[in-house]
Amino acid sequence: MKAKPEKYERGTRSYTMSHIRGKDTSIEVMVRRYLFSRGLRFRKNDKRYPGHPDIVLPKWHTVVFVNGCFWHMHEGCTKHSMPKSNVEFWSAKLLRNRERDRAQHAALEAMGWRVIVVWECELAKPVRQERLERLYTQIAGGDTTPAVPTGAAS
């Protein structure tokens, strides 16, 4: 079998990956703009809480994480796939991310916070408005449905 040619020159991939932001991503900014336009006020990336939630709404005692499907291993999502090269490194890293997320969510819930996760695939254009409206309802409307999705993307 022939090896697939490398897409990047040596060292370029590492440089490219090092520039992926951890906060103020486009999907995070989109969610914040929507919530602000609906009159909700929040703190962003508050370091006082486990996991530095993307959005903290103290009035509603709710935190929101806006997760990329790849980096947080969204199960059943087409946007998550395991890289074909350096599989051992990537699987360990992504599994560590998933376990860290679970521990942080459990810690926040133990502190009495409601945790809501918004996935990148839920913000695709065809379903974006419906998801943002559902998020607002989960926060302000007292929605009693589970805040953290358990399966595949909607």
Side-chain angles (χ1 to χ4, degrees):
M1 241 190 328
K2 232 179 179 180
K4 195 171 168 183
E6 193 61 33
K7 186 175 181 179
Y8 300 103
E9 285 188 35
R10 187 170 179 79
T12 307
R13 174 172 289 147
S14 177
Y15 175 79
T16 303
M17 296 303 275
S18 73
H19 282 77
I20 295 175
R21 297 183 305 228
K23 59 183 182 178
D24 295 332
T25 61
S26 59
I27 56 175
E28 187 181 324
V29 170
M30 178 192 314
V31 171
R32 287 198 318 244
R33 278 190 183 140
Y34 177 80
L35 294 177
F36 193 86
S37 74
R38 294 294 304 260
L40 296 178
R41 299 302 179 252
F42 48 83
R43 296 185 194 124
K44 59 181 202 155
N45 306 107
D46 198 327
K47 290 181 169 46
R48 293 178 289 179
Y49 305 107
H52 308 217
D54 299 318
I55 301 168
V56 179
L57 299 118
K59 178 179 178 180
W60 307 100
H61 220 61
T62 301
V63 296
V64 178
F65 288 93
V66 183
N67 288 347
C69 296
F70 172 77
W71 293 106
H72 297 271
M73 288 185 75
H74 189 195
E75 293 179 47
C77 177
T78 58
K79 287 185 178 262
H80 169 68
S81 63
M82 193 58 67
K84 303 283 186 255
S85 62
N86 207 357
V87 177
E88 190 176 308
F89 166 80
W90 281 109
S91 59
K93 178 175 183 51
L94 297 176
L95 284 170
R96 223 173 27 246
N97 286 354
R98 180 189 281 170
E99 291 309 312
R100 185 193 63 225
D101 288 347
R102 286 185 181 145
Q104 291 166 346
H105 294 181
L108 285 162
E109 287 169 354
M111 295 167 63
W113 288 90
R114 186 168 30 149
V115 178
I116 299 173
V117 176
V118 177
W119 291 98
E120 173 186 15
C121 61
E122 295 177 313
L123 297 172
K125 234 183 175 121
V127 293
R128 179 183 305 158
Q129 195 59 36
E130 185 269 328
R131 178 57 179 122
L132 292 172
E133 289 168 6
R134 195 169 83 235
L135 173 64
Y136 177 80
T137 304
Q138 285 178 297
I139 295 167
D143 190 358
T144 58
T145 58
V148 180
T150 54
S154 331

